[in-house]
Amino acid sequence: MSNAAIHVPHSHRAWLYVLVSIVFVFLLVPIFIVIPMSFSDSKYLEFPPEALTLQWYRTFFGSNEWLAAARNSLSVAAVATLISVPVGVGAAYALNEARGRLFVLLRFFLLLPQLIPVVLAAIGVFFLYIRLNLVNTFAGIVVAHSALCIPFVVITVGAGLKTFDKAQENAARTLGASRLRAFWDVTVPQIRLSIIAAVIFSFITSFDEVVIGLFVAGGSNTLLTRLMFLSLRDQLDPVIAAISSILIVISVLAIAVFVALQRPGREAAR
Amino acid sequence: MASSIDIRSIAKHFGGVPALDDVSLSITPGEFLTLLGPSGSGKTTLLMCIAGFVQPDAGSILVDGNEILTLPAHRRNLGMVFQSYALFPHMTVGENVAYPLKLRGVSRAERERRAREALGVVQMDGLKDRRINQLSGGQRQRVAFARAVVFEPAIILMDEPLSALDKRLREDMQIELKHLHQRLGRTIVYVTHDQKEALTMSDHVAVMERGRIMQVASPRDIYERPTSEFVARFIGDAAVLPIAVDGRDGITVPPRLLDGPRALPCPALVVRPEKVEILDGEASHPDVIGFDGEVREVIYQGDTILVFVKLPDGQSLSLRRGTRHTVLKSLPARGEKLRVGLRMEDACVIGVAG
Ligand SMILES: Nc1ncnc2c1ncn2[C@@H]1O[C@H](COP(=O)(O)OP(=O)(O)O)[C@@H](O)[C@H]1O
Ligand SMILES: [Mg+2]
């Protein structure tokens, strides 16, 4: 269907433009208030800023506590991504192959960590970890975060596999590739965008996570989000705005890279 | 070079529904065998059993006398062309064709040489650096074939490889594939639901229905000597008319025609439209089975013209003629009485149910 086939006058679509604008404002304004606030020379979070300073960025990069928390968050997110992406890709592949009621149930189980309220999950994890001696351990927080990341991997990679022609993998097998080799040589390159999306989602999901981190990631394994939350409670410090701004820039860059990879021009040029 | 295939009593059920029901078939080395049947008759399932993607519930498949059902798909050394071609869009044409050689550890230079050679066979050597999405349907078809033969498999499997092409190209490719088969001499198992395609290309045609093989024969025999009503009606047009024997209703045929099939419980005559002649006033001939009827409809189809004739007992048959001017001029009009006949050499008797 060509675009010309359904021409609706702009005047008839005015309400849509208004609606979309409102959505944009609500989504974007909070984000772009934070960035100017991070440059404010006031001791408290303030908008609009009266004078500009880089002091809060200096504070962040000069604080061992903040930097340690940032390092913790980065390593937890990295390891949780390394675990959840292969596991989730495998699960998505299996679910895509399989038929039957059992697998519907299995899929539901895999998605469950994102379906239940995270506070409930956090409380459950907390009590379980007390028994297992996993509270405030690196392994503990990584496992909990992986469980939260896997649903995103299963959904994005599952969607990628839906549009993949299974016959290609079979073709590779008749040409002499084992199942694993066929998957690696033929399937993975073609679902690589969904896998990259899954990596980004997983990393952000873990990096962004607050609630479970509050319960089970303390002590030397304190995560950035937990520290932000706690300091927000004690003092309304613009350091938080500075950190948030850094995170926003990183997220925007990650998405920009993803969009650039998605451009069809690159596909052909590769 | 080419291998024989022996399919013995293969059965496959999907959730209790039989997709293959005691299928046995022998294919000689270098043969072009076509599995022909309506959609859902089990052709793909049988091909997938050979390829190794479907494990049969029972039976065995021997290639050159060796059981292959115990081998995984990638160890069966079969070339396969898929309906969707299944070319890898993230590789160039050349990389696609070289892929099976790469898997076999062939050196880079040798890979390129053999890929170029295989592409040459299908006249695609100039396009080896193209991307798959830059190819037309016919070109993709050729690349898929080159990729399936480049590692010199003894057997090539093809599942409706031409069904995505338009009619003209499909007919050209039929001839081209037939020539490639003659040139390469490999055993080919080919799947189609298009009877004309099957007749054009094959050495032997196996007609399938509901998971069973109904008949295996040469294209000529499958058309001229069907052994069942299903095969007679599935391939070409046919009227199937019950024959009067032992006081039953039906048409009378010379007793000689019943010599062979006398044992059949309910014999019937297969009447192909193009074999029916118009008898104008000739005296009845002992070698011609005559029918009196009335023209019910005349349909002009360009290359041929089809005349439906209603017989006195309510059954009907049709006759087909080329549209030469003299033919068109002499054809009867609707409603006219007509006497038609079928030569005994053109008659085929089958047994029908009930
Ligand atoms: N994977 C499968 N699961 C369940 N039923 C199947 C499967 N593959 C084929 N069938 C069934 O088996 C029968 C034969 O199918 P198929 O071999 O694809 O027929 P054809 O290729 O002749 O059209 C059909 O009734 C089809 O629905
Ligand atoms: Mg099929």
Side-chain angles (χ1 to χ4, degrees):
Chain A
M1 187 164 39
S2 78
N3 288 339
I6 36 160
H7 185 79
V8 181
H10 284 279
S11 56
H12 288 196
R13 288 186 286 185
W15 67 275
L16 276 175
Y17 293 132
V18 171
L19 188 68
V20 169
S21 310
I22 293 173
V23 169
F24 266 100
V25 166
F26 272 87
L27 285 176
L28 293 179
V29 164
I31 293 176
F32 288 108
I33 283 179
V34 165
I35 293 178
M37 276 203 298
S38 72
F39 294 104
S40 158
D41 74 340
S42 159
K43 267 190 171 356
Y44 305 98
L45 287 175
E46 181 194 70
F47 188 83
E50 280 169 15
L52 300 178
T53 170
L54 283 175
Q55 181 191 344
W56 309 113
Y57 289 88
R58 271 196 295 272
T59 310
F60 172 72
F61 286 106
S63 153
N64 280 336
E65 197 189 10
W66 280 115
L67 287 182
R71 262 197 304 276
N72 285 340
S73 277
L74 286 173
S75 18
V76 166
V79 177
T81 302
L82 279 179
I83 292 174
S84 58
V85 170
V87 170
V89 168
Y93 183 82
L95 290 174
N96 192 52
E97 292 276 284
R99 308 263 167 276
R101 214 165 289 168
L102 181 67
F103 289 94
V104 175
L105 207 64
L106 212 61
R107 186 182 162 81
F108 176 72
F109 267 113
L110 282 165
L111 302 185
L112 209 52
Q114 285 293 349
L115 296 179
I116 56 172
V118 67
V119 176
L120 290 187
I123 294 169
V125 167
F126 181 61
F127 280 103
L128 182 69
Y129 278 14
I130 289 175
R131 299 207 164 193
L132 298 174
N133 259 332
L134 281 173
V135 177
N136 293 353
T137 61
F138 184 79
I141 188 70
V142 160
V143 168
H145 276 188
S146 299
L148 284 183
C149 296
I150 286 172
F152 285 116
V153 182
V154 169
I155 287 172
T156 47
V157 176
L161 284 170
K162 280 237 153 55
T163 59
F164 168 71
D165 177 16
K166 183 79 203 333
Q168 283 183 35
E169 206 176 286
N170 285 347
R173 289 168 65 193
T174 62
L175 298 174
S178 65
R179 275 197 99 147
L180 194 63
R181 182 82 196 261
F183 178 73
W184 191 253
D185 282 356
V186 174
T187 313
V188 168
Q190 285 179 73
I191 58 168
R192 71 177 196 289
L193 281 178
S194 353
I195 294 179
I196 293 170
V199 167
I200 293 174
F201 273 132
S202 288
F203 195 89
I204 291 176
T205 301
S206 166
F207 199 82
D208 221 25
E209 202 283 325
V210 190
V211 183
I212 294 180
L214 274 179
F215 279 78
V216 301
S220 65
N221 282 307
T222 295
L223 301 178
L224 193 57
T225 45
R226 180 181 209 254
L227 203 57
M228 287 168 75
F229 188 79
L230 295 179
S231 81
L232 200 60
R233 200 181 52 185
D234 301 342
Q235 75 221 62
L236 274 178
D237 195 332
V239 172
I240 290 173
I243 300 170
S244 304
S245 304
I246 295 172
L247 296 185
I248 289 168
V249 169
I250 292 174
S251 302
V252 168
L253 283 180
I255 290 166
V257 167
F258 182 68
V259 171
L261 284 175
Q262 236 172 345
R263 282 225 313 275
R266 268 195 71 93
E267 181 92 343
R270 221 177 62 87
Chain B
M1 272 301 224
S3 292
S4 67
I5 309 175
D6 251 303
I7 298 168
R8 295 188 182 162
S9 305
I10 290 288
K12 178 69 190 176
H13 294 248
F14 288 112
V17 185
L20 293 175
D21 183 2
D22 194 22
V23 169
S24 294
L25 184 62
S26 278
I27 306 167
T28 56
E31 182 175 334
F32 192 125
L33 179 117
T34 297
L35 300 173
L36 171 67
S39 160
S41 56
K43 309 178 296 289
T44 297
T45 307
L46 183 55
L47 207 69
M48 290 296 172
C49 287
I50 303 174
F53 300 123
V54 169
Q55 192 65 19
D57 302 333
S60 103
I61 300 179
L62 308 177
V63 169
D64 291 334
N66 303 313
E67 180 65 67
I68 60 161
L69 286 182
T70 49
L71 295 176
H74 67 280
R75 305 271 298 283
R76 295 195 183 184
N77 210 35
L78 308 163
M80 182 152 181
V81 179
F82 291 77
Q83 186 167 8
S84 61
Y85 312 136
L87 295 171
F88 309 137
H90 60 295
M91 298 182 192
T92 63
V93 167
E95 285 165 354
N96 263 278
V97 177
Y99 181 69
L101 303 175
K102 191 173 164 190
L103 291 171
R104 285 164 177 76
V106 175
S107 74
R108 185 181 198 90
E110 175 72 0
R111 247 168 27 217
E112 280 182 6
R113 189 187 65 75
R114 282 172 64 182
R116 205 171 327 114
E117 198 178 284
L119 284 169
V121 170
V122 291
Q123 290 134 41
M124 287 284 295
D125 31 352
L127 301 178
K128 75 175 179 47
D129 294 322
R130 286 278 180 93
R131 298 240 133 220
I132 301 306
N133 59 16
Q134 296 170 315
L135 301 182
S136 70
Q139 290 172 329
R140 286 177 201 209
Q141 171 60 49
R142 289 188 175 87
V143 174
F145 187 84
R147 188 180 67 177
V149 299
V150 70
F151 57 104
E152 313 212 317
I155 295 169
I156 300 165
L157 309 176
M158 301 178 137
D159 192 355
E160 313 221 8
L162 305 181
S163 62
L165 305 179
D166 59 42
K167 187 168 179 291
R168 266 298 281 286
L169 187 56
R170 190 161 69 230
E171 286 171 359
D172 291 346
M173 288 299 295
Q174 286 169 6
I175 307 291
E176 197 172 321
L177 283 178
K178 190 183 163 100
H179 290 163
L180 283 170
H181 169 250
Q182 286 159 357
R183 195 166 140 198
L184 299 174
R186 302 296 148 77
T187 309
I188 294 186
V189 184
Y190 188 96
V191 165
T192 182
H193 64 266
D194 178 340
Q195 36 116 354
K196 199 159 170 207
E197 186 167 301
L199 297 180
T200 305
M201 302 175 76
S202 325
D203 296 321
H204 283 107
V205 178
V207 179
M208 294 189 70
E209 190 212 14
R210 283 195 248 137
R212 289 166 164 276
I213 292 191
M214 303 298 289
Q215 189 175 355
V216 188
S218 68
R220 183 156 177 176
D221 281 350
I222 210 99
Y223 187 80
E224 311 261 339
R225 299 273 164 256
T227 54
S228 62
E229 182 169 3
F230 176 79
V231 174
R233 289 192 189 278
F234 186 69
I235 300 180
D237 294 338
V240 177
L241 307 174
I243 295 172
V245 275
D246 309 331
R248 267 204 303 266
D249 284 346
I251 52 168
T252 310
V253 298
R256 196 148 53 88
L257 206 55
L258 283 174
D259 280 351
R262 188 173 291 282
L264 294 171
C266 291
L269 191 66
V270 177
V271 185
R272 300 278 189 203
E274 72 282 0
K275 304 199 189 284
V276 176
E277 299 169 49
I278 297 175
L279 310 173
D280 24 31
E282 292 168 26
S284 61
H285 189 283
D287 278 351
V288 175
I289 309 159
F291 306 88
D292 285 305
E294 181 189 309
V295 175
R296 211 185 47 188
E297 203 163 359
V298 179
I299 296 176
Y300 175 81
Q301 294 180 319
D303 54 345
T304 57
I305 191 157
L306 201 57
V307 179
F308 289 94
V309 179
K310 190 171 169 193
L311 303 181
D313 62 354
Q315 306 206 64
S316 59
L317 57 78
S318 54
L319 71 99
R320 193 188 286 284
R321 280 290 169 278
T323 48
R324 273 172 297 125
H325 182 68
T326 47
V327 174
L328 290 181
K329 218 171 56 177
S330 67
L331 275 183
R334 184 173 168 169
E336 274 181 45
K337 296 268 186 251
L338 184 70
R339 183 167 169 76
V340 295
L342 182 72
R343 297 201 154 264
M344 271 195 35
E345 298 88 328
D346 290 327
C348 170
V349 176
I350 59 172
V352 295

